Amino acid sequence: MIRSLFFAPANRPELAVKFPRFGADCCVIDLEDGTPEAEKAKARAALRDTVAQVRAAGLQSRLAIRVNVPDSPHYLLDLQAAFECDVDAIVIPKLETPAQAFPVQHGIAHARGPRAIGLIGGIESVRGVLDARRICEETANLMAVYFGAEDYAADIGGRRTPTGAEVATARGWVVMAAHAGRVPAIDQAVLDIRDDALYTADANAGRDMGYQGKICVAPAQVALANAAFSPTPEEVAYARRLVAAYDAATARGIGTIDFEGRMVDGPLLKHSQSILAAAARS
């Protein structure tokens, strides 16, 4: 379960070492957008040491490395460096076809580190969105995908707005594709790092759509994401009552019940069961 996907630039190890303070479910050392072109080679050379420093700082949650895009001259060099590190996942940005992940899958198959390594894919281009279902269904080792609204908007030539209506179709398509492929989906970033209310509102909208977590670009956003994508005590209590009532009814041969003024059948039962499962993992 990745409620919060938090990024820090690879060329700033002093920031990555602070990961344990923030409580993100998955922390990402970013060789791509977070690291300037002139700093990429140096950051890559220091990557193993950066990861070792983060581990020594006591990080308990997942640690990942985001490499550069598959058509970049940095891609294979980044992967070679990443697989020499003690990490839990590799993040491929702007993933557009399952074939682009083959080098990562080869690295996973031959990894000899202490951990099983997974893959997180960024769906953040027009082609990636259109082929999202194939990516989610056919890419091996895929532990999650995220929707990158900023890159998608830039690729399609649109303008970003506070309401996000311009990316709504793509945002919905990615989460549907992820669920079709049984892959967790992580929602878009909010770049206004001082507007907690906007972040929370956008996170709640993402959860309503079926996303299971959210990108975080500032430390303060981590707690907001974790809260938004965790069931509230009221939701958990309601789910427990509903499941108990439904179990009692089915024991009497009843499949649809009147529960606290609502008609409840199989789909609502599954929703309540998913809330209880999420509560157990949080």
Side-chain angles (χ1 to χ4, degrees), residues 5-10 12-30 50-51 53-55 57-65 216 219 222:
L5 186 69
F6 178 52
F7 290 82
R12 299 286 306 278
E14 73 277 10
L15 299 181
V17 169
K18 297 178 182 178
F19 280 156
R21 302 182 188 180
F22 306 133
D25 288 338
C26 185
C27 298
V28 184
I29 299 172
D30 186 18
T50 301
V51 169
Q53 290 182 54
V54 173
R55 291 296 187 195
L59 184 70
Q60 298 299 312
S61 57
R62 293 185 183 94
L63 180 62
I65 293 171
C216 305
V222 171

Side-chain angles (χ1 to χ4, degrees), residues 159-178:
R159 296 186 298 180
R160 291 292 275 126
T161 68
T163 65
E166 69 284 355
V167 299
T169 299
R171 189 184 186 189
W173 183 253
V174 169
V175 73
M176 286 192 293

Side-chain angles (χ1 to χ4, degrees), residues 91-188:
V91 182
I92 304 179
K94 301 176 183 65
L95 187 60
E96 295 182 334
T97 68
Q100 290 176 327
F102 287 171
V104 176
Q105 291 153 2
H106 176 82
I108 289 172
H110 293 84
R112 295 294 180 264
R115 305 168 196 272
I117 299 176
L119 166 62
I120 299 174
I123 309 297
E124 41 192 339
S125 67
V126 174
R127 185 179 177 189
V129 168
L130 292 176
D131 286 343
R133 181 174 178 180
R134 190 163 69 91
I135 291 168
C136 292
E137 292 181 339
E138 300 177 15
T139 305
N141 308 114
L142 195 61
M143 59 187 288
V145 295
Y146 67 84
F147 172 54
E150 307 304 324
D151 282 294
Y152 169 81
D155 191 34
I156 205 169
R159 296 186 298 180
R160 291 292 275 126
T161 68
T163 65
E166 69 284 355
V167 299
T169 299
R171 189 184 186 189
W173 183 253
V174 169
V175 73
M176 286 192 293
H179 280 262
R182 300 185 182 278
V183 176
I186 301 168
D187 195 20
Q188 63 191 14

Side-chain angles (χ1 to χ4, degrees), residues 23-95:
D25 288 338
C26 185
C27 298
V28 184
I29 299 172
D30 186 18
L31 286 164
E32 195 218 6
D33 287 343
T35 299
E37 181 66 31
E39 295 284 315
K40 290 185 186 295
K42 181 179 177 182
R44 181 168 57 239
L47 192 60
R48 189 171 182 176
D49 185 55
T50 301
V51 169
Q53 290 182 54
V54 173
R55 291 296 187 195
L59 184 70
Q60 298 299 312
S61 57
R62 293 185 183 94
L63 180 62
I65 293 171
R66 181 161 74 172
V67 298
N68 281 278
V69 296
D71 61 357
S72 161
H74 298 286
Y75 182 52
L76 295 181
L77 295 172
D78 287 351
L79 289 178
Q80 181 179 356
F83 278 110
E84 294 175 355
C85 299
D86 179 13
V87 294
D88 300 285
I90 306 296
V91 182
I92 304 179
K94 301 176 183 65
L95 187 60

Side-chain angles (χ1 to χ4, degrees), residues 190-201:
V190 173
L191 300 186
D192 191 337
I193 60 174
R194 292 180 176 84
D195 194 336
D196 290 356
L198 174 63
Y199 187 91
T200 296

